Amino acid sequence: MAALNEFDVIQTFFHRAAPEGYVGVGDDCALFSVRPGYQLAVSTDTLIEGQHFFSDVDPYDLGHKSLAVNLSDLCAMGAEPKGCVLALALPQVDPQWLQAFSSGLHALAAQSNCPLIGGDTTRHPYAVTITLTIFGEVPITQALRRDLARAGDDIWITGTLGAADLALRYLTQRLPMDAERLEQTRSALERPLPPYAFAPHLLGHAHAAIDISDGFLQDLSHILTASHCGAQVSWADLPMHPALRGVAPALQQAAVLAGGDVFELCFTAPPTERAYLLDLAAQHQIRLTRIGTVVPEPGLVVVDASGQALNLPAQGGFDHFSA
Ligand code: ADP
Ligand code: MG
Protein backbone atom coordinates (compact mmCIF):
# COMPACT_ATOMS: atom_id res chain seq x y z
CA MET A 1 0.00 0.00 0.00
CA ALA A 2 1.26 3.51 -0.83
CA ALA A 3 2.12 5.53 2.26
CA LEU A 4 -0.86 7.44 3.60
CA ASN A 5 -0.55 11.20 3.94
CA GLU A 6 -2.31 13.34 6.54
CA PHE A 7 -5.44 13.80 4.44
CA ASP A 8 -5.68 10.09 3.65
CA VAL A 9 -5.47 9.33 7.35
CA ILE A 10 -8.33 11.71 8.14
CA GLN A 11 -10.43 10.51 5.21
CA THR A 12 -9.84 6.80 5.79
CA PHE A 13 -10.07 6.53 9.55
CA PHE A 14 -11.83 9.54 11.00
CA HIS A 15 -14.28 10.87 8.43
CA ARG A 16 -17.80 9.57 9.02
CA ALA A 17 -21.13 10.91 7.78
CA ALA A 18 -22.20 13.62 10.22
CA PRO A 19 -25.64 13.23 11.81
CA GLU A 20 -28.60 15.34 10.64
CA GLY A 21 -28.15 18.96 11.72
CA TYR A 22 -24.35 18.71 12.10
CA VAL A 23 -21.44 19.87 9.97
CA GLY A 24 -18.73 17.32 10.72
CA VAL A 25 -15.25 16.40 9.48
CA GLY A 26 -14.24 18.20 6.29
CA ASP A 27 -14.77 21.90 6.93
CA ASP A 28 -12.78 24.35 9.06
CA CYS A 29 -15.10 24.02 12.05
CA ALA A 30 -17.72 21.55 13.12
CA LEU A 31 -21.18 23.01 13.66
CA PHE A 32 -24.07 21.81 15.78
CA SER A 33 -26.80 23.35 17.94
CA VAL A 34 -27.88 22.83 21.51
CA ARG A 35 -31.57 22.78 22.31
CA PRO A 36 -33.16 26.00 23.62
CA GLY A 37 -32.89 26.09 27.40
CA TYR A 38 -29.67 24.03 27.42
CA GLN A 39 -26.02 24.90 28.03
CA LEU A 40 -22.98 23.47 26.33
CA ALA A 41 -20.81 21.30 28.63
CA VAL A 42 -17.20 21.02 27.43
CA SER A 43 -14.31 18.91 28.66
CA THR A 44 -10.97 17.67 27.35
CA ASP A 45 -8.48 14.95 28.31
CA THR A 46 -5.07 13.97 26.99
CA LEU A 47 -3.65 10.44 26.90
CA ILE A 48 0.11 10.16 26.28
CA GLU A 49 1.89 6.98 25.25
CA GLY A 50 4.10 5.68 28.05
CA GLN A 51 2.36 7.86 30.61
CA HIS A 52 -1.34 7.06 30.34
CA PHE A 53 -1.15 3.90 28.25
CA PHE A 54 1.38 1.23 27.27
CA SER A 55 2.74 1.26 23.71
CA ASP A 56 1.43 -2.25 23.13
CA VAL A 57 -2.10 -1.71 24.46
CA ASP A 58 -4.83 -2.98 22.14
CA PRO A 59 -5.48 0.05 19.87
CA TYR A 60 -9.22 -0.73 19.70
CA ASP A 61 -9.40 -0.45 23.49
CA LEU A 62 -7.36 2.75 23.39
CA GLY A 63 -9.80 4.33 20.92
CA HIS A 64 -12.65 3.33 23.21
CA LYS A 65 -10.92 4.67 26.31
CA SER A 66 -10.02 8.01 24.67
CA LEU A 67 -13.72 8.75 24.40
CA ALA A 68 -14.75 6.96 27.62
CA VAL A 69 -12.61 9.15 29.87
CA ASN A 70 -14.28 12.22 28.39
CA LEU A 71 -17.79 10.77 28.59
CA SER A 72 -17.01 10.28 32.26
CA ASP A 73 -16.63 14.05 32.72
CA LEU A 74 -19.98 14.68 31.04
CA CYS A 75 -21.57 12.13 33.39
CA ALA A 76 -20.23 14.04 36.37
CA MET A 77 -22.23 17.11 35.29
CA GLY A 78 -25.30 15.12 34.23
CA ALA A 79 -24.76 16.28 30.63
CA GLU A 80 -25.84 14.35 27.55
CA PRO A 81 -23.20 13.70 24.85
CA LYS A 82 -23.45 15.75 21.62
CA GLY A 83 -20.14 15.22 19.85
CA CYS A 84 -16.36 15.20 20.13
CA VAL A 85 -13.20 16.34 18.33
CA LEU A 86 -9.87 14.51 18.31
CA ALA A 87 -6.39 16.02 18.18
CA LEU A 88 -4.06 13.17 17.37
CA ALA A 89 -0.25 13.31 17.19
CA LEU A 90 1.53 10.24 15.83
CA PRO A 91 5.20 9.30 15.38
CA GLN A 92 4.25 7.37 12.22
CA VAL A 93 1.25 6.27 10.20
CA ASP A 94 0.48 2.63 10.99
CA PRO A 95 -2.72 1.77 9.06
CA GLN A 96 -3.49 -1.35 11.09
CA TRP A 97 -3.12 0.52 14.36
CA LEU A 98 -5.23 3.43 13.08
CA GLN A 99 -7.92 1.06 11.79
CA ALA A 100 -8.32 -0.55 15.22
CA PHE A 101 -7.98 2.70 17.16
CA SER A 102 -10.59 4.51 15.06
CA SER A 103 -12.96 1.50 15.18
CA GLY A 104 -12.87 1.48 18.98
CA LEU A 105 -13.51 5.21 19.06
CA HIS A 106 -16.33 5.18 16.47
CA ALA A 107 -18.02 2.19 18.14
CA LEU A 108 -18.35 3.95 21.49
CA ALA A 109 -19.23 7.21 19.69
CA ALA A 110 -22.15 5.45 17.95
CA GLN A 111 -23.25 3.71 21.16
CA SER A 112 -23.24 6.94 23.17
CA ASN A 113 -24.60 9.27 20.43
CA CYS A 114 -21.37 11.23 20.54
CA PRO A 115 -20.14 11.50 16.92
CA LEU A 116 -16.57 12.47 16.07
CA ILE A 117 -17.11 15.76 14.23
CA GLY A 118 -13.61 17.16 13.78
CA GLY A 119 -10.04 17.22 14.95
CA ASP A 120 -6.45 17.70 13.98
CA THR A 121 -3.80 15.24 12.84
CA THR A 122 -0.09 15.93 13.26
CA ARG A 123 3.26 14.22 13.75
CA HIS A 124 4.85 13.76 17.14
CA PRO A 125 8.57 12.87 17.35
CA TYR A 126 8.12 9.83 19.58
CA ALA A 127 4.87 9.46 21.54
CA VAL A 128 1.30 8.89 20.40
CA THR A 129 -0.61 11.76 21.99
CA ILE A 130 -4.40 11.75 22.03
CA THR A 131 -6.38 14.81 23.05
CA LEU A 132 -10.11 14.38 22.84
CA THR A 133 -12.50 17.23 23.53
CA ILE A 134 -16.11 16.44 24.22
CA PHE A 135 -19.29 18.51 23.99
CA GLY A 136 -22.50 17.78 25.80
CA GLU A 137 -25.67 19.60 26.70
CA VAL A 138 -27.35 20.12 30.03
CA PRO A 139 -30.43 22.17 31.03
CA ILE A 140 -29.41 25.69 32.10
CA THR A 141 -28.57 25.90 35.85
CA GLN A 142 -29.35 22.22 36.46
CA ALA A 143 -25.91 20.67 35.99
CA LEU A 144 -24.59 18.55 38.84
CA ARG A 145 -21.64 20.35 40.41
CA ARG A 146 -19.02 19.64 43.02
CA ASP A 147 -20.17 22.42 45.34
CA LEU A 148 -23.80 21.40 45.87
CA ALA A 149 -23.55 18.59 48.46
CA ARG A 150 -25.54 19.17 51.67
CA ALA A 151 -25.25 17.70 55.15
CA GLY A 152 -27.62 14.75 55.42
CA ASP A 153 -27.19 13.71 51.77
CA ASP A 154 -26.53 10.06 51.00
CA ILE A 155 -23.33 9.31 49.10
CA TRP A 156 -23.63 6.89 46.18
CA ILE A 157 -21.27 5.34 43.69
CA THR A 158 -21.83 3.48 40.45
CA GLY A 159 -19.94 0.32 39.51
CA THR A 160 -17.13 -1.13 41.60
CA LEU A 161 -13.79 0.10 42.92
CA GLY A 162 -10.25 -1.23 42.81
CA ALA A 163 -10.10 -3.33 39.63
CA ALA A 164 -8.28 -0.87 37.36
CA ASP A 165 -5.69 -0.19 40.03
CA LEU A 166 -5.05 -3.89 40.59
CA ALA A 167 -4.63 -4.50 36.84
CA LEU A 168 -2.19 -1.59 36.61
CA ARG A 169 -0.14 -2.99 39.49
CA TYR A 170 0.28 -6.30 37.66
CA LEU A 171 1.08 -4.64 34.33
CA THR A 172 3.71 -2.38 35.91
CA GLN A 173 5.20 -5.26 37.96
CA ARG A 174 4.46 -3.57 41.25
CA LEU A 175 2.75 -6.86 42.16
CA PRO A 176 3.89 -10.38 41.26
CA MET A 177 1.85 -11.50 38.26
CA ASP A 178 -1.43 -13.24 38.95
CA ALA A 179 -2.73 -14.11 35.49
CA GLU A 180 -6.21 -14.94 36.69
CA ARG A 181 -6.70 -11.72 38.60
CA LEU A 182 -5.22 -9.70 35.74
CA GLU A 183 -7.69 -11.36 33.40
CA GLN A 184 -10.57 -10.38 35.71
CA THR A 185 -9.51 -6.75 36.14
CA ARG A 186 -7.91 -5.75 32.85
CA SER A 187 -11.09 -4.62 31.10
CA ALA A 188 -11.79 -2.18 33.94
CA LEU A 189 -8.47 -0.49 33.14
CA GLU A 190 -8.57 -0.73 29.36
CA ARG A 191 -12.28 -0.57 28.53
CA PRO A 192 -14.01 1.59 31.14
CA LEU A 193 -17.67 2.37 30.43
CA PRO A 194 -18.96 5.39 32.36
CA PRO A 195 -22.72 5.53 33.01
CA TYR A 196 -23.46 8.10 30.28
CA ALA A 197 -27.13 7.14 29.75
CA PHE A 198 -27.89 7.00 33.48
CA ALA A 199 -26.24 10.25 34.58
CA PRO A 200 -28.56 12.80 32.88
CA HIS A 201 -31.48 11.32 34.83
CA LEU A 202 -29.84 12.43 38.08
CA LEU A 203 -30.68 16.07 37.36
CA GLY A 204 -33.25 17.35 39.82
CA HIS A 205 -32.60 14.34 42.08
CA ALA A 206 -28.89 14.39 42.96
CA HIS A 207 -27.06 17.40 44.41
CA ALA A 208 -23.32 17.07 43.78
CA ALA A 209 -21.35 14.70 41.59
CA ILE A 210 -17.82 13.91 40.43
CA ASP A 211 -16.34 11.17 38.30
CA ILE A 212 -13.81 8.93 40.02
CA SER A 213 -10.72 9.28 37.87
CA ASP A 214 -7.90 9.94 40.34
CA GLY A 215 -9.02 7.84 43.32
CA PHE A 216 -12.21 7.60 45.37
CA LEU A 217 -10.93 9.41 48.50
CA GLN A 218 -9.36 12.23 46.57
CA ASP A 219 -12.34 12.71 44.27
CA LEU A 220 -14.93 12.59 47.08
CA SER A 221 -12.75 15.08 48.96
CA HIS A 222 -13.09 17.49 46.05
CA ILE A 223 -16.89 17.45 46.54
CA LEU A 224 -16.54 17.90 50.29
CA THR A 225 -14.10 20.79 50.02
CA ALA A 226 -16.16 22.57 47.37
CA SER A 227 -19.35 22.04 49.40
CA HIS A 228 -17.79 22.97 52.80
CA CYS A 229 -18.82 19.75 54.52
CA GLY A 230 -17.48 16.34 55.48
CA ALA A 231 -18.46 12.69 55.10
CA GLN A 232 -18.69 9.42 56.94
CA VAL A 233 -18.20 6.40 54.70
CA SER A 234 -18.50 2.73 55.63
CA TRP A 235 -15.64 0.52 54.39
CA ALA A 236 -17.90 -2.53 54.39
CA ASP A 237 -20.38 -0.82 52.07
CA LEU A 238 -17.80 0.17 49.44
CA PRO A 239 -18.39 -1.94 46.32
CA MET A 240 -15.00 -3.62 46.04
CA HIS A 241 -14.48 -5.43 42.73
CA PRO A 242 -14.79 -9.22 43.32
CA ALA A 243 -11.27 -9.88 41.98
CA LEU A 244 -9.90 -8.13 45.09
CA ARG A 245 -11.33 -10.75 47.43
CA GLY A 246 -8.49 -12.65 49.03
CA VAL A 247 -5.74 -10.10 48.39
CA ALA A 248 -3.94 -8.55 51.37
CA PRO A 249 -6.17 -6.08 53.28
CA ALA A 250 -3.66 -3.23 52.89
CA LEU A 251 -3.69 -3.72 49.13
CA GLN A 252 -7.50 -3.87 49.07
CA GLN A 253 -7.64 -0.57 50.92
CA ALA A 254 -5.09 1.12 48.68
CA ALA A 255 -6.79 -0.08 45.49
CA VAL A 256 -10.35 0.69 46.58
CA LEU A 257 -9.72 4.00 48.35
CA ALA A 258 -6.95 5.53 46.27
CA GLY A 259 -6.86 3.61 42.97
CA GLY A 260 -7.37 5.75 39.86
CA ASP A 261 -8.76 5.16 36.36
CA VAL A 262 -12.17 4.12 37.71
CA PHE A 263 -14.44 6.30 35.54
CA GLU A 264 -17.50 5.68 37.67
CA LEU A 265 -19.68 8.30 39.30
CA CYS A 266 -19.76 9.43 42.93
CA PHE A 267 -22.73 11.64 43.80
CA THR A 268 -24.79 12.88 46.72
CA ALA A 269 -28.57 13.00 46.98
CA PRO A 270 -31.13 13.51 49.74
CA PRO A 271 -32.44 10.30 51.38
CA THR A 272 -35.90 11.01 49.91
CA GLU A 273 -34.46 10.04 46.51
CA ARG A 274 -33.43 6.49 47.44
CA ALA A 275 -36.30 4.68 45.73
CA TYR A 276 -36.01 6.81 42.58
CA LEU A 277 -32.26 6.22 42.33
CA LEU A 278 -32.40 2.47 42.88
CA ASP A 279 -35.15 2.16 40.31
CA LEU A 280 -33.22 4.30 37.81
CA ALA A 281 -30.10 2.19 38.31
CA ALA A 282 -32.08 -1.02 37.77
CA GLN A 283 -33.56 0.37 34.53
CA HIS A 284 -30.06 1.17 33.25
CA GLN A 285 -28.50 -2.04 34.61
CA ILE A 286 -26.09 0.04 36.63
CA ARG A 287 -24.72 -1.20 39.92
CA LEU A 288 -25.46 1.57 42.42
CA THR A 289 -24.32 1.49 46.05
CA ARG A 290 -25.04 3.82 48.94
CA ILE A 291 -21.78 4.12 50.83
CA GLY A 292 -22.12 6.89 53.40
CA THR A 293 -23.49 10.23 54.49
CA VAL A 294 -22.53 13.88 54.13
CA VAL A 295 -21.97 15.52 57.54
CA PRO A 296 -21.64 19.20 58.50
CA GLU A 297 -18.12 18.91 60.05
CA PRO A 298 -15.28 19.00 57.49
CA GLY A 299 -13.20 15.82 57.06
CA LEU A 300 -13.63 12.42 55.49
CA VAL A 301 -13.86 9.44 57.82
CA VAL A 302 -14.00 5.82 56.65
CA VAL A 303 -15.21 3.49 59.40
CA ASP A 304 -14.88 -0.29 59.64
CA ALA A 305 -17.67 -2.68 60.61
CA SER A 306 -17.18 -1.90 64.31
CA GLY A 307 -17.41 1.85 63.75
CA GLN A 308 -13.65 2.44 64.15
CA ALA A 309 -12.08 5.02 61.82
CA LEU A 310 -9.56 3.51 59.39
CA ASN A 311 -6.09 4.98 59.06
CA LEU A 312 -6.36 6.31 55.54
CA PRO A 313 -3.51 6.13 53.03
CA ALA A 314 -1.50 9.39 53.16
CA GLN A 315 -1.99 9.86 49.46
CA GLY A 316 -5.66 9.50 48.61
CA GLY A 317 -5.20 9.40 44.86
CA PHE A 318 -3.25 10.20 41.75
CA ASP A 319 -1.43 13.47 41.03
CA HIS A 320 0.71 14.00 37.91
CA PHE A 321 2.99 16.45 39.70
CA SER A 322 3.44 14.76 43.08
CA ALA A 323 6.93 13.56 44.00
P1 ADP B 1 -7.41 22.84 9.03
O1 ADP B 1 -6.14 22.94 8.27
O2 ADP B 1 -8.50 23.77 8.59
O3 ADP B 1 -7.21 22.78 10.53
P2 ADP B 1 -7.27 20.04 8.71
O4 ADP B 1 -6.65 19.78 7.41
O5 ADP B 1 -6.44 19.97 9.94
O6 ADP B 1 -8.03 21.42 8.63
O7 ADP B 1 -8.48 19.04 8.91
C1 ADP B 1 -9.39 18.79 7.86
C2 ADP B 1 -10.71 18.34 8.44
O8 ADP B 1 -10.51 17.09 9.07
C3 ADP B 1 -11.28 19.26 9.50
O9 ADP B 1 -12.68 19.23 9.38
C4 ADP B 1 -10.85 18.63 10.78
O10 ADP B 1 -11.78 18.90 11.82
C5 ADP B 1 -10.87 17.14 10.42
N1 ADP B 1 -9.89 16.33 11.18
C6 ADP B 1 -8.53 16.43 11.16
N2 ADP B 1 -7.97 15.48 11.94
C7 ADP B 1 -8.99 14.78 12.49
C8 ADP B 1 -9.07 13.69 13.39
N3 ADP B 1 -7.98 13.12 13.92
N4 ADP B 1 -10.29 13.24 13.73
C9 ADP B 1 -11.39 13.82 13.23
N5 ADP B 1 -11.40 14.83 12.36
C10 ADP B 1 -10.21 15.31 11.99
MG1 MG C 1 -5.86 21.26 11.44
Side-chain angles (χ1 to χ4, degrees):
M1 196 200 295
L4 299 178
N5 70 25
E6 177 189 331
F7 302 100
D8 302 327
V9 168
I10 297 167
Q11 190 57 32
T12 309
F13 302 111
F14 298 112
H15 190 126
R16 290 288 188 280
E20 175 93 22
Y22 285 70
V23 172
V25 173
D27 215 318
D28 291 306
C29 289
L31 300 174
F32 64 95
S33 309
V34 294
R35 284 172 280 176
Y38 283 71
Q39 284 176 302
L40 197 55
V42 183
S43 184
T44 196
D45 264 307
T46 296
L47 301 179
I48 300 173
E49 177 180 2
Q51 191 170 337
H52 302 97
F53 62 91
F54 300 108
S55 302
D56 62 353
V57 73
D58 180 338
Y60 185 98
D61 288 350
L62 185 61
H64 169 103
K65 186 167 177 175
S66 304
L67 177 54
V69 300
N70 281 280
L71 283 170
S72 182
D73 286 315
L74 288 188
C75 287
M77 305 296 282
E80 263 177 69
K82 290 292 283 187
C84 61
V85 298
L86 169 69
L88 187 60
L90 302 166
Q92 76 265 324
V93 171
D94 174 345
Q96 261 184 316
W97 188 95
L98 279 162
Q99 179 59 44
F101 173 81
S102 59
S103 298
L105 174 50
H106 288 303
L108 182 58
Q111 186 187 328
S112 61
N113 285 316
C114 190
L116 179 64
I117 52 176
D120 190 36
T121 304
T122 62
R123 185 187 291 275
H124 189 285
Y126 54 87
V128 174
T129 305
I130 302 160
T131 299
L132 196 138
T133 302
I134 198 165
F135 307 97
E137 65 178 14
V138 63
I140 292 174
T141 72
Q142 285 194 40
L144 304 171
R145 298 198 333 219
R146 296 180 181 187
D147 58 354
L148 297 177
R150 286 176 222 163
D153 278 358
D154 292 327
I155 305 171
W156 299 85
I157 55 179
T158 62
T160 65
L161 295 171
D165 186 67
L166 197 67
L168 189 59
R169 286 170 193 261
Y170 294 127
L171 293 171
T172 52
Q173 280 124 40
R174 283 177 295 144
L175 269 185
M177 181 54 75
D178 177 333
E180 202 180 320
R181 282 205 168 90
L182 176 59
E183 175 77 25
Q184 292 164 357
T185 53
R186 195 167 188 156
S187 68
L189 178 67
E190 294 177 347
R191 288 279 285 275
L193 193 60
Y196 59 82
F198 165 86
H201 298 282
L202 295 175
L203 300 186
H205 298 275
H207 285 154
I210 193 165
D211 68 316
I212 306 175
S213 51
D214 296 332
F216 163 69
L217 286 183
Q218 181 170 303
D219 289 322
L220 175 56
S221 295
H222 290 317
I223 288 186
L224 301 176
T225 304
S227 301
H228 307 289
C229 45
Q232 175 146 338
V233 167
S234 154
W235 166 257
D237 291 335
L238 289 173
M240 182 170 76
H241 189 280
L244 273 80
R245 282 187 208 129
V247 307
L251 176 56
Q252 285 181 345
Q253 275 192 24
V256 167
L257 297 176
D261 266 309
V262 179
F263 304 111
E264 294 288 350
L265 210 52
C266 175
F267 63 91
T268 81
T272 48
E273 298 291 342
R274 284 177 191 173
Y276 171 86
L277 293 168
L278 291 170
D279 189 54
L280 181 69
Q283 275 173 42
H284 287 265
Q285 292 170 300
I286 295 283
R287 178 167 174 173
L288 181 66
T289 312
R290 183 158 55 86
I291 55 149
T293 311
V294 179
V295 299
E297 314 76 47
L300 171 50
V301 181
V302 182
V303 297
D304 66 15
S306 64
Q308 289 287 335
L310 298 185
N311 275 321
L312 299 179
Q315 200 187 346
F318 183 75
D319 173 356
H320 275 104
F321 296 107
S322 69

